[in-house]
Amino acid sequence: MVLTKEYTTSPPTFKHLTPYERGKICALLKEGFSPTQIAKKLGRHRSTIYREIKRGTTTQLRTDLTTYS
């Protein structure tokens, strides 16, 4: 009996964002572009841009227990 490897799933094809792309996202946000427009300009999926924006912000607590970003 001969066993062969038959993979039914394809390997992931994702790429990490480069520091240049992260800087470009920041600059375009400051210019007023929407995340969807930024995604089109960079050739990335819009959810990637939304996740990167969310990752770059933090929610902090003031002394009166209200939050801010």
Side-chain angles (χ1 to χ4, degrees), residues 16-38:
H16 293 280
L17 288 172
T18 63
Y20 174 79
E21 288 175 318
R22 287 189 172 99
K24 192 81 169 160
I25 290 169
C26 183
L28 290 171
L29 280 173
K30 287 181 181 178
E31 289 180 20
F33 285 90
S34 72
T36 303
Q37 291 170 323
I38 295 170

Side-chain angles (χ1 to χ4, degrees), residues 6-66:
E6 291 188 29
Y7 299 107
T8 58
T9 58
S10 59
T13 59
F14 60 86
K15 294 183 337 185
H16 293 280
L17 288 172
T18 63
Y20 174 79
E21 288 175 318
R22 287 189 172 99
K24 192 81 169 160
I25 290 169
C26 183
L28 290 171
L29 280 173
K30 287 181 181 178
E31 289 180 20
F33 285 90
S34 72
T36 303
Q37 291 170 323
I38 295 170
K40 286 180 183 177
K41 283 184 174 289
L42 296 179
R44 297 293 189 138
H45 197 273
R46 64 187 163 111
S47 64
T48 302
I49 306 302
Y50 277 107
R51 280 194 300 265
E52 186 62 27
I53 293 168
K54 183 178 179 183
R55 187 176 295 123
T57 59
T58 58
T59 302
Q60 296 182 352
L61 199 60
R62 293 189 179 107
T63 55
D64 62 352
L65 301 179
T66 57

